[in-house]
C-alpha cells in the first residue's frame, strides 16, 4: 500500500468512525504512530481533519463532512455571501439553499 492509498483509507475510516486514536490507526495500518502523525498532517491540509490533545483527544473529522461530496471553496462561498444581499425573494432563497448544500461549514 502506498502512502497515498493509506491516506485515502485513513480518510475513509475516519469518515465512517468520525473519530479514532493514532495508536489504533497505526495498528490497523501496520505503521508507526509517527507515520500516522505525518499522514494526518497531510490529510488535514486538504480535508477537515483535526486533532485534540488530552482526555477525549484523538483524530476527528468534522461532523458535517462527507467523503466525495462536492463542496464550495472558501473563495466561492465568500463570493456567494457577498452577492446574497443583492438577491431578493426566490433568488435569495435559492442562493441560501446552494450555500447550505455545498458550503463545507454549512453557514449562510
Amino acid at each position: 500500500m502506498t502512502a497515498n492509498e493509506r491516506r485515502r483509507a485513513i480518510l475513509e475510516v475516519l469518515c465512517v468512525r468520525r473519530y479514532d486514536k493514532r495508536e489504533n490507526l497505526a495498528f490497523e495500518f501496520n505503521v508507526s504512530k509517527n507515520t500516522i502523525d505525518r499522514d494526518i498532517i497531510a490529510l488535514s491540509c486538504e480535508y477537515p481533519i483535526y486533532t485534540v490533545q488530552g482526555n477525549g483527544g484523538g483524530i476527528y473529522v468534522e461532523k458535517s463532512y462527507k467523503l466525495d461530496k462536492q463542496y464550495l471553496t472558501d473563495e466561492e462561498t465568500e463570493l456567494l455571501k457577498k452577492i446574497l444581499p443583492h438577491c431578493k425573494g426566490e433568488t435569495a432563497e435559492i442562493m441560501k439553499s446552494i450555500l447550505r448544500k455545498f458550503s463545507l461549514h454549512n453557514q449562510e
Side-chain angles (χ1 to χ4, degrees):
M1 177 180 286
T2 68
N4 285 337
E5 291 169 336
R6 183 182 61 249
R7 289 174 183 160
R8 176 66 183 196
I10 290 169
L11 179 61
E12 290 171 357
V13 164
L14 287 173
C15 284
V16 170
R17 296 178 190 158
R18 309 315 285 180
Y19 157 83
D20 211 332
K21 294 194 176 271
R22 73 183 184 138
E23 294 83 3
N24 294 341
L25 293 171
F27 178 79
E28 186 171 341
F29 290 97
N30 197 31
V31 295
S32 72
K33 290 183 278 187
N34 288 337
T35 298
I36 294 297
D37 289 342
R38 287 189 296 273
D39 289 343
I40 296 305
I41 289 169
L43 286 168
S44 67
C45 291
E46 294 184 49
Y47 302 97
I49 293 175
Y50 60 96
T51 59
V52 174
Q53 302 277 342
N55 190 18
I59 303 162
Y60 293 82
V61 65
E62 191 173 292
K63 289 179 184 180
S64 64
Y65 180 75
K66 302 221 182 335
L67 190 62
D68 294 329
K69 180 179 176 185
Q70 294 294 315
Y71 292 97
L72 294 170
T73 65
D74 290 341
E75 293 82 13
E76 291 167 337
T77 300
E78 288 307 311
L79 175 62
L80 293 177
K81 286 180 181 180
K82 286 179 184 176
I83 295 170
L84 182 58
H86 304 287
C87 298
K88 304 287 185 228
E90 186 178 343
T91 303
E93 293 307 312
I94 292 169
M95 184 73 76
K96 288 177 186 177
S97 173
I98 291 168
L99 285 166
R100 278 192 303 273
K101 286 181 185 176
F102 298 105
S103 291
L104 179 57
H105 304 290
N106 290 324
Q107 299 173 1
E108 286 188 28

